[in-house]
C-alpha cells in the first residue's frame, strides 16, 4: 500500500525541490563563469576553493577579476580608424593645398607611389593575419584613388565636361574596386564601396544631357537592375543589404518619375513611353520576387501598382476627363483576375494587395460625392417649400467636386461587384479554436469536451499528437509530467524521439471511448494504473483538468487551445460590397443631374429597400453577418437625407414623410433583433414628429399652437407602449415620444396660457403612463411635476399676485390625502405623501415673495416655513425638513440681502478677502471634522421618511 500525499503537500515538496535545484544550478553557473574568465586571462592568479566553500549549499559567487573598460580589439579598431582618417586628411590637404610646390612629374610620382603602396600593403598584412590594419590601409588606398582621379582631371583633362568625367571616373573606380575586392575577398570595405559608387555613373551621365545619354528615369532603372543583380548574386549578407537598399532607392525614383510622366501625358502616344518604363520596372521587381522571398509581399505590391499605373495611364489619356479613375480601376480588376486565373504563388499576395489598394483609392475618390449627396439637402433649410428646385444638383445647393461625376456611380458599383465576388472565394477567418498539429481538423470546430472533439467525421478517433503540448494551466500548478512556466502560465511537455507527445497507454484506450473524453473516471484511467499520481474527483491527474478546460481526448490528451477570433474577411467584404452598391445607386441622381421628382423617388425607394433588407436580410446574412447592420445604417442615412431633400416642395414633404413613417413602423413590427426593432421604432417616432410639424406648418399655425399638434405623437406612443407592455422596444420608443413632448413645450414657451395647457396635457399623458406598474414610479413623479408646473404657469399667465388663494386649497387637499396614505402605509415616503402638496404653495409663494416689496408676505412665508421645518425635524420627515428649510433659507436671504449689501459696501475693500481667507483656513483646519459632520447629516437625512 502506497501513501499518496495531498496535492497541497506534494506541491510544497516540488517547490522546495525546484528551489534546491535552482540554487545548485546557480552555483555551477558561477563556477563555470569563473573558470572561463580564468582561461581567458591565464596570468591572473587562481582563487583557491576551500572545502567549506565547496560544501556550502548557498549560491556563493567566486572572485572574478574586473573586466577592462575596453577590450583589445575595440582599442585596436579605434586606433586604426583614427590613423586612417588622419592619413586621409593629410592626403586631401596635400592634393588640394600643397599641389603647387611640386612639378608634374613629382606630383604624379608621389600620388602614384603612395596609392600603389596603400593598395599593395593589405596583401602582406593579410598574410600576417593583420586584418584590421589591412582594412584601414585599403580604405586609405580607395580614398587615394579618388584623389588620383581628381588630380588627373585637373592636370590632364581639365577641358572635359565635369559631369561626364565624374560619370566615367565613378564607373572606372567602381569597376576597379570590384576587382580589388574580389581579389582580396577577406577585405570587407572595397566591395560595399564599389556598390555605392556604382549608383553614380548612369545618373551623372543622364545629367549631362549629351548625345546618346539616357533619360534620367531609364538611367535610374538601369542602376536598379545592376543593384538587383548584385543583391541576388553577392555572397556577403551586408553587401546584399546595401545593394537591395540601392535598388529600392533608384528604382523608387524611377517609378516616381515614370508615374508623374504617365499622369501628365496628354495623348495615349505620349503615355506609351512612361508605360514602358513602368512595365519594365515591374518586370525587374517580379524577377527579384522569384529569387528573394523575404521581400516578396512588398516588391510584388510595388510591381502590381506599377502595372496598373502603366496601363491605366494610357487609358487615362484616351478617355474623357473624369473617367480616368474608372480606367485605373478596370486595370486593377484585370490584374486581380489574372492573379485568380493562376500563376506564380509567391507574388500573388502582393499583386492582390496592390489591386485592393487601387480599389480602395477608387472608392475614396467617390467619397466627396457621397457626402454631398447625403448632407447637401441641409443647404435647403433656408428656403423650405420654395418650389424652385427642378433638378438634383439644384436641390443639393452646392457645387459638385470636379468634372465627370457620371463615372462615380460606375466606380462604386464596380468596386462593390468585385468585393461581392471576393467574398465568395475569400477564406472565412472567424474562428474560436485552433486544432493542435496532427489532430483532426474537424476538432477545431468542437469545444473541449464536446462529443465531436477528438474524433473524425467518420467516427474514428482523431490522432492528437504534437511535438510540444503547450496548454494553459493555473499559475501555481505544475503538472505531473511537464514543467510549468510561471511567466506565461503554460505547461510544456517534451516530446519523445518520434515527435509524439508523451501520454500513457491508457489514453489511447480512452480515445476509443469518447464518452470518457471529459475526464470521467474509468477502471482503465490513469488513476487506476498509476496510483502514485494524485487525481481530481473527475479522475484526471491533478493540475491537468480544470473547469471549462476538459481534455478533448483522454485524460492527458491534446485539446484545442483557445485563440482570439480573427476578423472575418469574407463577411467584411460582403458588408462593404452592400454599402458601396447602395451608395453607388444613391449618387446616380446628382451624377446624372436627374429631375427633382425622379431624385426624390429613387432616394426614397433606396431608403425603404435598405430598411426592408435590415429586417429581412435573407441570403445576404449568410455571406455578410453584418449585412443587417449595414443596411440599417444605409436606410436611416438615406431616410434623413431624402426627408431633408423633400422640404423643397410641400407635396414631396408629405409624401416622403408619410411613406417613411409607414415603412419604419412596419419594419419595426416585423420580427427582428431587439436592437434593430428599437432603432426603427425610435426613427418612426422621430419622423412622425416631423410629419406632425409639417401638418402644423401647412395649416400656418403659430408655434404655440403647433405644439398642441405635436402632442399627438407622445399620446400615440403612450398608447402603443401600453399595448407592448414590457417589450424591450417600449422604453426607447417612449423616450423618443418624451423628446417630442419636450419639443412641444419648447415651442409653447412664447405663449404662457398655451404653455400651461401643453404642460397639463403632458401631465395627463404621464399620468396615463403611470397606470402601468412598471412605469409607475418615474411616470407618477413626472406627472405630478408637470401638473404643478402647469398650475404655476397658469397663475403667472393670469397675472395673479396672490397665488396662495389658488394654491392653498390644493395644498390642503393634497396634505389630507398624504395623511391618509401615511396612515394606511407608514413606510410610504414623505416626498410622495406631502411633497406635492407643500410644493404647490411654498414654491409659488417664494417666487411671489422675492418680487414683493412689502414685508408681510415674506414674514408669513418665513414663519410657515420655520414651523414646517421644526415639524419635519420633530417627526423625522425628510420632505418637510428639506423643502421647508430650503424655502426658509431663501426667504431669509431675500430679506437680509439689502442689509448685507450695505454692510459689505461700508467695509474696507481688504476685509472681505481676509474674511474669506480666514473661513477657508478654519474649514481646512477642521476639514476632517466637517467631513464627518456632513456624512452624519447625510446619514440622518437618509434615515428619514
Amino acid at each position: 500500500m502506497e501513501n499518496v500525499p495531498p496535492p497541497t503537500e506534494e506541491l510544497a515538496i516540488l517547490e522546495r525541490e525546484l528551489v534546491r535545484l535552482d540554487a545548485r544550478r546557480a552555483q555551477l553557473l558561477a563556477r563555470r563563469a569563473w573558470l572561463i574568465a580564468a582561461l581567458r586571462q591565464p596570468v591572473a592568479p587562481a582563487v583557491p576553493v576551500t572545502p567549506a566553500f565547496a560544501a556550502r549549499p548557498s549560491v556563493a559567487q567566486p572572485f572574478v577579476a574586473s573586466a577592462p573598460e575596453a577590450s583589445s580589439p575595440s582599442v585596436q579598431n579605434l586606433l586604426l580608424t583614427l590613423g586612417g582618417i588622419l592619413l586621409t586628411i593629410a592626403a586631401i590637404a596635400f592634393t588640394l593645398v600643397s599641389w603647387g610646390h611640386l612639378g608634374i612629374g613629382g606630383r604624379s610620382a608621389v600620388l602614384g607611389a603612395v596609392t600603389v603602396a596603400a593598395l599593395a600593403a593589405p596583401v602582406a598584412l593579410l598574410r600576417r593575419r593583420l586584418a584590421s590594419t589591412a582594412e584601414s590601409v585599403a580604405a586609405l588606398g580607395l580614398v587615394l584613388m579618388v584623389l588620383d582621379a581628381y588630380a588627373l582631371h585637373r592636370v590632364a583633362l581639365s577641358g572635359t565636361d565635369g559631369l561626364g568625367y565624374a560619370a566615367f571616373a565613378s564607373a572606372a573606380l567602381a569597376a576597379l574596386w570590384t576587382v580589388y575586392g574580389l581579389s582580396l575577398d577577406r577585405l570587407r570595405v572595397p566591395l560595399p564601396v564599389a556598390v555605392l559608387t556604382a549608383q553614380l555613373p548612369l545618373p551623372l551621365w543622364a545629367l549631362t544631357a549629351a548625345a546618346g545619354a539616357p533619360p534620367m528615369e531609364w538611367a535610374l532603372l538601369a542602376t536598379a537592375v545592376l543593384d538587383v543583380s548584385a543583391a541576388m548574386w553577392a555572397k556577403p549578407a551586408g553587401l546584399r543589404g546595401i545593394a537591395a537598399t540601392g535598388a529600392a532607392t533608384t528604382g523608387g525614383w524611377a517609378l516616381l518619375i515614370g508615374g508623374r510622366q504617365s499622369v501628365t501625358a496628354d495623348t495615349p502616344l505620349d503615355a506609351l513611353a512612361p508605360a514602358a518604363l513602368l512595365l519594365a520596372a515591374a518586370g525587374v521587381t517580379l524577377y527579384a520576387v522569384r529569387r528573394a522571398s523575404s521581400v516578396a509581399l512588398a516588391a510584388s505590391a510595388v510591381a502590381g501598382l506599377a502595372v496598373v499605373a502603366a496601363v491605366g495611364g494610357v487609358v487615362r489619356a484616351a478617355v474623357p476627363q473624369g473617367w480616368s479613375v474608372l480606367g485605373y480601376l478596370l486595370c486593377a480588376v484585370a490584374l486581380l483576375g489574372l492573379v485568380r486565373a493562376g500563376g506564380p504563388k509567391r507574388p500573388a499576395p502582393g499583386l492582390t494587395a496592390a489591386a485592393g489598394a487601387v480599389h480602395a483609392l477608387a472608392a475614396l475618390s467617390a467619397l466627396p460625392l457621397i457626402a454631398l449627396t447625403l448632407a447637401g439637402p441641409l443647404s435647403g433649410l433656408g428656403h423650405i417649400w420654395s418650389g424652385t428646385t427642378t433638378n438634383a444638383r439644384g436641390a443639393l445647393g452646392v457645387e459638385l467636386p470636379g468634372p465627370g461625376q457620371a463615372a462615380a456611380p460606375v466606380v462604386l458599383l464596380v468596386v462593390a461587384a468585385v468585393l461581392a465576388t471576393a467574398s465568395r472565394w475569400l477564406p472565412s477567418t472567424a474562428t474560436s479554436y485552433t486544432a493542435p498539429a496532427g489532430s483532426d481538423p474537424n476538432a477545431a470546430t468542437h469545444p473541449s469536451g464536446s462529443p465531436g472533439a477528438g474524433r473524425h467525421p467518420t467516427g474514428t478517433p482523431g490522432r492528437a499528437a504534437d511535438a510540444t503540448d503547450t496548454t494553459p494551466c493555473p499559475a501555481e500548478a505544475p503538472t505531473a509530467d511537464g514543467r510549468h512556466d510561471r511567466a506565461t502560465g503554460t505547461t510544456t511537455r517534451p516530446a519523445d524521439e518520434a515527435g509524439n507527445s508523451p501520454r500513457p497507454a491508457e489514453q489511447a484506450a480512452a480515445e476509443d471511448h469518447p464518452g470518457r473524453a471529459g475526464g470521467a473516471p474509468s477502471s482503465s484511467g490513469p488513476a487506476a494504473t498509476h496510483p502514485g499520481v494524485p487525481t481530481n474527483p473527475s479522475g484526471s491527474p491533478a493540475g491537468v483538468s480544470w473547469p471549462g478546460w476538459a481534455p478533448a481526448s483522454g485524460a492527458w490528451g491534446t485539446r484545442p487551445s483557445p485563440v482570439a477570433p480573427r476578423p472575418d474577411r469574407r463577411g467584411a467584404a460582403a458588408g462593404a460590397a452592400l454599402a458601396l452598391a447602395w451608395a453607388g445607386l444613391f449618387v446616380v441622381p446628382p451624377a446624372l443631374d436627374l429631375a427633382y421628382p425622379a431624385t426624390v423617388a429613387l432616394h426614397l425607394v433606396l431608403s425603404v429597400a435598405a430598411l426592408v433588407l435590415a429586417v429581412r436580410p435573407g441570403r445576404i446574412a449568410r455571406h455578410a453577418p453584418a449585412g443587417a447592420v449595414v443596411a440599417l445604417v444605409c436606410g436611416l442615412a438615406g431616410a434623413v437625407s431624402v426627408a431633408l431633400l423633400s422640404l423643397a416642395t410641400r407635396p414631396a414633404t408629405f409624401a416622403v414623410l408619410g411613406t417613411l413613417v409607414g415603412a419604419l413602423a412596419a419594419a419595426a413590427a416585423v420580427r427582428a433583433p431587439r436592437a434593430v426593432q428599437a432603432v426603427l421604432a425610435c426613427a418612426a417616432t422621430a419622423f412622425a414628429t416631423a410629419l406632425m410639424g409639417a401638418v402644423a406648418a401647412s395649416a400656418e399655425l403659430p408655434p404655440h399652437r403647433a405644439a398642441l399638434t405635436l402632442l399627438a405623437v407622445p399620446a400615440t406612443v403612450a398608447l402603443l407602449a401600453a399595448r407592448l407592455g414590457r417589450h424591450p422596444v417600449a422604453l426607447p420608443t417612449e423616450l423618443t415620444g418624451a423628446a417630442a413632448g419636450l419639443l412641444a413645450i419648447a415651442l409653447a414657451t412664447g405663449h404662457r396660457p398655451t404653455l400651461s395647457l401643453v404642460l397639463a396635457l403632458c401631465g395627463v399623458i404621464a399620468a396615463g403612463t403611470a397606470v402601468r406598474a412598471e412605469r409607475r414610479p418615474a411616470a407618477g413623479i413626472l406627472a405630478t411635476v408637470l401638473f404643478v408646473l402647469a398650475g404655476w404657469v397658469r397663475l403667472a399667465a393670469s397675472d395673479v399676485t396672490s397665488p396662495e388663494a389658488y394654491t392653498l386649497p390644493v395644498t390642503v387637499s393634497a396634505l389630507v390625502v398624504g395623511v391618509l396614505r401615511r396612515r394606511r402605509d407608514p413606510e410610504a415616503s414623505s416626498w410622495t405623501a406631502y411633497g406635492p402638496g407643500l410644493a404647490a404653495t411654498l414654491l409659488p409663494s417664494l417666487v411671489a415673495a422675492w418680487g414683493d416689496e412689502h414685508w408681510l408676505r415674506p414674514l408669513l412665508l418665513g414663519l410657515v416655513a420655520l414651523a414646517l421645518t421644526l415639524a419635519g425635524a420633530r417627526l423625522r420627515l425628510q420632505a418637510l425638513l428639506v423643502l421647508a428649510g430650503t424655502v426658509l433659507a431663501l426667504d431669509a436671504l431675500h430679506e437680509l440681502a439689502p442689509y448685507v449689501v450695505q454692510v459689505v459696501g461700508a467695509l474696507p475693500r481688504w476685509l472681505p478677502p481676509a474674511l474669506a481667507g480666514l473661513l477657508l483656513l478654519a474649514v481646512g483646519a477642521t476639514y476632517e471634522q466637517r467631513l464627518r459632520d456632513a456624512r452624519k447629516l447625510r446619514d440622518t437625512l437618509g434615515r428619514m421618511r
Side-chain angles (χ1 to χ4, degrees):
M1 180 175 181
E2 298 183 6
N3 295 324
V4 179
T8 56
E9 184 178 349
E10 184 181 3
L11 180 61
I13 295 173
L14 292 178
E15 289 291 342
R16 288 195 296 270
E17 185 68 18
L18 289 175
V19 170
R20 190 185 66 80
L21 292 176
D22 291 340
R24 180 59 179 167
R25 184 174 182 272
Q27 181 181 356
L28 294 177
L29 287 176
R31 180 64 180 172
R32 176 178 176 274
W34 180 84
L35 291 175
I36 292 175
L39 291 175
R40 289 181 177 176
Q41 299 179 1
V43 298
V47 179
V49 180
T50 62
F53 173 81
R56 192 181 308 138
S58 62
V59 186
Q61 296 290 342
F63 173 76
V64 181
S66 60
E69 296 183 359
S71 62
S72 298
S74 301
V75 175
Q76 180 186 12
N77 293 335
L78 178 62
L79 294 176
L80 291 175
T81 302
L82 291 177
I85 292 175
L86 292 176
L87 288 177
T88 302
I89 294 174
I92 294 174
F94 171 77
T95 305
L96 298 179
V97 179
S98 302
W99 188 251
H101 299 288
L102 295 175
I104 184 66
R107 304 170 200 168
S108 303
V110 171
L111 279 178
V114 173
T115 302
V116 172
L119 294 177
V123 179
L125 293 173
L126 289 176
R127 291 176 182 176
R128 294 178 176 270
R129 298 183 179 180
L130 300 176
S132 299
T133 307
E135 293 283 357
S136 300
V137 177
L140 177 62
L142 300 182
V143 175
L144 291 176
M145 292 182 69
V146 177
L147 296 178
D148 289 338
Y150 171 75
L152 181 62
H153 179 263
R154 290 293 301 272
V155 175
L157 302 175
S158 58
T160 59
D161 179 56
L163 287 176
Y165 180 78
F168 174 77
S170 59
L173 290 175
L176 292 175
W177 290 344
T178 301
V179 174
Y180 184 70
L182 292 176
S183 301
L184 301 176
D185 54 354
R186 295 177 59 187
L187 295 177
R188 294 175 295 178
V189 174
L191 288 178
V193 174
V195 172
L196 293 176
T197 308
Q199 313 301 314
L200 301 177
L202 292 178
L204 291 176
W205 186 22
L207 289 176
T208 60
M216 177 58 70
E217 60 273 15
W218 285 101
L220 291 172
L221 181 59
T223 305
V225 172
L226 297 177
D227 291 332
V228 169
S229 302
M232 288 190 300
W233 299 107
K235 294 182 179 180
L239 185 61
R240 290 199 300 268
I242 295 174
T245 304
T249 304
T250 55
W253 280 108
L255 288 175
L256 289 177
I257 296 175
R260 182 183 61 83
Q261 293 177 352
S262 176
V263 171
T264 57
D266 296 329
T267 62
L269 187 61
D270 296 337
L272 289 178
L277 173 70
L278 294 173
L279 291 176
V284 174
T285 306
L286 291 177
Y287 178 75
V289 168
R290 295 182 57 187
R291 300 298 302 271
S293 59
S294 58
V295 295
L297 180 61
S300 56
V302 172
L305 292 176
V307 171
V308 172
V311 182
V314 178
V315 176
R316 182 203 62 83
V319 299
Q321 188 177 8
W323 292 83
S324 57
V325 175
L326 182 60
Y328 286 107
L329 178 60
L330 294 179
C331 294
V333 173
L335 177 63
L336 192 60
L338 291 177
V339 172
R340 289 293 302 166
K345 294 183 178 180
R346 181 173 292 178
L351 296 176
T352 304
V358 175
H359 282 74
L361 292 176
L364 289 177
S365 67
L367 187 60
L369 181 60
I370 298 174
L372 289 178
T373 304
L374 290 173
L378 289 173
S379 61
L381 294 178
H383 45 276
I384 296 177
W385 292 353
S386 61
T388 59
T389 302
T390 59
N391 54 5
R393 296 182 182 179
L396 295 179
V398 291
E399 293 294 334
L400 297 182
Q405 294 299 324
V410 182
V411 168
L412 291 173
L413 293 176
V414 169
V415 176
V418 173
L419 287 174
T421 305
S423 66
R424 293 182 173 273
W425 52 263
L426 277 175
S428 180
T429 56
T431 180
S432 300
Y433 291 88
T434 54
S439 63
D440 181 17
N442 191 40
T445 61
H446 298 283
S448 300
S450 62
R455 298 186 64 87
H456 289 284
T458 58
T460 59
R463 181 177 178 271
D466 197 359
T468 301
D469 181 16
T470 303
T471 56
C473 63
E476 298 295 336
T479 58
D481 61 343
R483 186 169 182 83
H484 178 64
D485 188 355
R486 300 180 183 178
T488 60
T490 58
T491 298
T492 304
R493 303 180 181 87
D496 56 12
E497 296 180 359
N500 298 324
S501 298
R503 55 178 180 173
E506 289 75 17
Q507 180 184 348
E511 287 181 351
D512 294 334
H513 302 281
R516 301 174 185 173
S522 62
S523 60
S524 61
T529 308
H530 303 277
V533 180
T535 60
N536 290 327
S538 61
S540 61
V544 175
S545 179
W546 309 285
W549 290 90
S553 57
W556 288 356
T558 304
R559 57 182 175 271
S561 58
V563 296
R566 292 179 293 176
D568 187 3
R569 292 184 294 171
R570 176 184 298 178
L578 178 61
L580 290 177
W582 184 87
L585 296 175
F586 202 79
V587 299
V588 166
L592 302 180
D593 198 14
L594 299 181
Y596 175 75
T599 302
V600 173
L602 180 59
H603 284 185
L604 183 60
V605 169
L606 291 174
S607 302
V608 173
L611 294 175
V612 172
L613 191 61
V615 295
R616 284 289 182 264
R619 297 179 59 185
I620 295 179
R622 290 184 292 179
H623 300 284
V629 177
V630 173
L632 179 63
V633 173
C634 293
L636 293 179
V640 173
S641 178
V642 72
L644 294 174
L645 187 65
S646 66
L647 296 178
T649 61
R650 184 175 302 183
T653 301
F654 285 103
V656 169
L657 291 178
T659 304
L660 289 177
V661 170
L664 289 168
V670 177
R671 183 180 299 274
R674 301 302 188 192
V676 175
Q677 282 186 317
V679 171
L680 292 173
C682 293
T685 305
F687 281 105
T689 305
L691 180 60
M692 297 308 298
V695 171
S698 64
E700 298 181 356
L701 297 178
H704 62 276
R705 298 217 176 159
L708 297 174
T709 307
L710 292 182
L711 289 180
V713 175
T716 306
V717 169
L719 294 175
L720 292 176
R723 183 175 181 82
L724 292 175
R726 298 181 181 273
H727 196 279
V729 179
L731 181 59
T733 309
E734 288 178 282
L735 293 177
T736 310
L742 289 177
L743 178 60
I745 294 173
L747 290 176
T749 52
H751 193 263
R752 290 184 180 179
T754 308
L755 177 60
S756 175
L757 178 59
V758 170
L759 290 172
L761 292 176
C762 290
V764 172
I765 297 173
T769 305
V771 174
R772 298 158 52 196
E774 67 274 10
R775 300 286 186 264
R776 185 168 300 159
I781 296 174
L782 179 61
T784 303
V785 172
L786 289 173
F787 283 133
V788 172
L789 288 177
W792 293 348
V793 172
R794 185 67 245 184
L795 294 177
S798 302
D799 295 330
V800 174
T801 58
S802 299
E804 294 82 4
Y806 300 92
T807 58
L808 280 176
V810 177
T811 297
V812 172
S813 303
L815 291 178
V816 170
V817 174
V819 170
L820 296 177
R821 171 71 184 279
R822 290 274 296 176
R823 286 183 178 179
R824 187 178 61 181
D825 184 11
E827 299 297 327
S829 173
S830 61
W831 288 100
T832 305
Y834 308 123
L838 293 176
T841 296
L842 289 179
L843 296 183
S845 299
L846 179 62
V847 174
W850 272 66
D852 195 349
E853 298 179 356
H854 301 283
W855 56 272
L856 182 59
R857 176 180 278 118
L859 177 60
L860 294 176
L861 179 62
L863 291 175
V864 173
L866 177 60
L868 291 174
T869 303
L870 295 176
R874 175 69 179 81
L875 301 175
R876 302 184 64 82
L877 297 176
Q878 190 181 94
L880 274 67
L881 181 62
V882 174
L883 190 57
T886 303
V887 172
L888 178 61
L890 293 177
D891 185 63
L893 177 63
H894 173 264
E895 293 301 312
L896 296 177
Y899 303 103
V900 173
V901 172
Q902 292 178 7
V903 172
V904 172
L907 292 177
R909 296 293 181 90
W910 56 268
L911 189 57
L915 293 176
L918 290 175
L919 178 62
L920 292 178
L921 288 176
V923 173
T926 60
Y927 175 75
E928 295 296 335
Q929 182 62 34
R930 302 285 80 80
L931 191 60
R932 286 193 293 270
D933 294 342
R935 290 173 179 171
K936 185 178 179 180
L937 178 61
R938 182 193 62 187
D939 295 339
T940 303
L941 289 175
R943 288 192 295 269
M944 292 183 178
R945 291 293 178 185

